[in-house]
């Protein structure tokens, strides 16, 4: 048939060669720098809104760990909270990112200035000692975006504005 003409094989081989060339170029770029991470680091260093406490959400435990390592290079104090976490990590988060630990005790811990969390921490914890969220990864379910924002947009917050940075 006409679909299996002699030039089809040559066309497919040509396409494969082009794709292999593009793959090599892409891999070279990836080895040189991580543009998304570099943009985050620049913002964290230069944007005045990001100089205080910040909550950074990511979808992956691997990404959270990677970003924590990178943030230490620019002297930011990250706390990585992945999965459900244990009581100890939950207490650290509440001590550092919830404005009130209990009705009688104001939270005063300042051991960490960036909370790097998976969506397990977008539910059930008030984190409104800040008004800034960075969505480093965008979840496929838009409801999760609202849950993340809801961690800082709470009744009783001291802030009038909420700032949400979304990375694509």
């Amino acid at each position: 048939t006409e679909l299996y003409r002699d030039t089809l094989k040559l066309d497919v081989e040509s396409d494969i060669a082009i794709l292999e060339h593009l793959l090599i170029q892409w891999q070279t770029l990836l080895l040189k720098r991580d543009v998304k991470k570099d943009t985050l680091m620049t913002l964290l260093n230069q944007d005045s809104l990001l100089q205080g406490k910040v909550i950074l959400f990511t979808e992956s435990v691997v990404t959270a760990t990677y970003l924590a390592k990178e943030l230490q290079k620019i002297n930011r104090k990250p706390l990585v909270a992945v999965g459900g976490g244990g009581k100890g990590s939950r207490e650290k988060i509440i001590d550092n990112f919830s404005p009130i630990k209990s009705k009688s005790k104001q939270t005063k811990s300042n051991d960490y200035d960036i909370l790097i969390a998976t969506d397990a921490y977008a539910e059930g914890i008030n984190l409104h000692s800040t008004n800034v969220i960075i969505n480093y990864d965008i979840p496929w379910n838009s409801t999760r975006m609202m849950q993340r924002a809801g961690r800082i947009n709470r009744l009783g917050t001291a802030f009038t504005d909420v700032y949400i940075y979304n990375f694509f």
Side-chain angles (χ1 to χ4, degrees):
T1 70
E2 197 165 315
L3 289 174
Y4 298 105
R5 63 181 196 253
D6 293 336
T7 60
L8 178 62
K9 182 179 179 189
L10 294 174
D11 291 342
V12 171
E13 288 172 348
S14 173
D15 289 347
I16 290 171
I18 291 168
L19 291 172
E20 287 174 342
H21 177 72
L22 289 173
L23 178 62
I24 290 168
Q25 287 181 324
W26 182 252
Q27 288 172 333
T28 302
L29 286 173
L30 288 177
L31 291 174
K32 289 183 180 177
R33 61 188 277 226
D34 178 347
V35 176
K36 189 175 179 181
K37 185 259 318 170
D38 292 345
T39 302
L40 172 67
M41 297 303 167
T42 299
L43 280 171
L44 288 171
N45 280 326
Q46 296 176 1
D47 189 325
S48 62
L49 292 173
L50 301 176
Q51 299 311 304
K53 290 196 177 284
V54 174
I55 300 169
L56 189 151
F57 282 106
T58 183
E59 292 285 299
S60 163
V61 172
V62 173
T63 303
T65 305
Y66 165 69
L67 290 175
K69 181 180 167 189
E70 293 298 314
L71 287 169
Q72 291 171 345
K73 293 178 184 177
I74 62 168
N75 295 323
R76 294 297 296 262
K77 299 180 292 184
L79 169 62
V80 177
V82 294
K87 183 174 172 59
S89 65
R90 189 175 181 91
E91 286 300 315
K92 284 181 191 176
I93 292 166
I94 291 169
D95 284 346
N96 284 274
F97 292 93
S98 181
I100 300 173
K101 183 174 181 180
S102 68
K103 291 181 180 181
S104 62
K105 179 183 174 189
Q106 288 287 334
T107 302
K108 297 295 180 191
S109 294
N110 199 22
D111 300 325
Y112 305 98
D113 60 358
I114 298 175
L115 171 61
I116 304 172
T118 59
D119 283 314
Y121 284 102
E123 301 172 2
I125 300 178
N126 295 329
L127 302 171
H128 57 286
S129 67
T130 183
N131 62 336
V132 180
I133 285 181
I134 297 173
N135 290 307
Y136 191 76
D137 296 323
I138 305 297
W140 63 271
N141 182 346
S142 59
T143 303
R144 289 190 179 193
M145 299 283 285
M146 297 304 295
Q147 288 174 328
R148 290 173 177 184
R151 295 302 95 216
I152 63 170
N153 190 15
R154 313 292 294 176
L155 288 174
T157 184
F159 303 102
T160 56
D161 296 314
V162 171
Y163 299 95
I164 300 173
Y165 293 71
N166 294 316
F167 279 70
F168 294 97

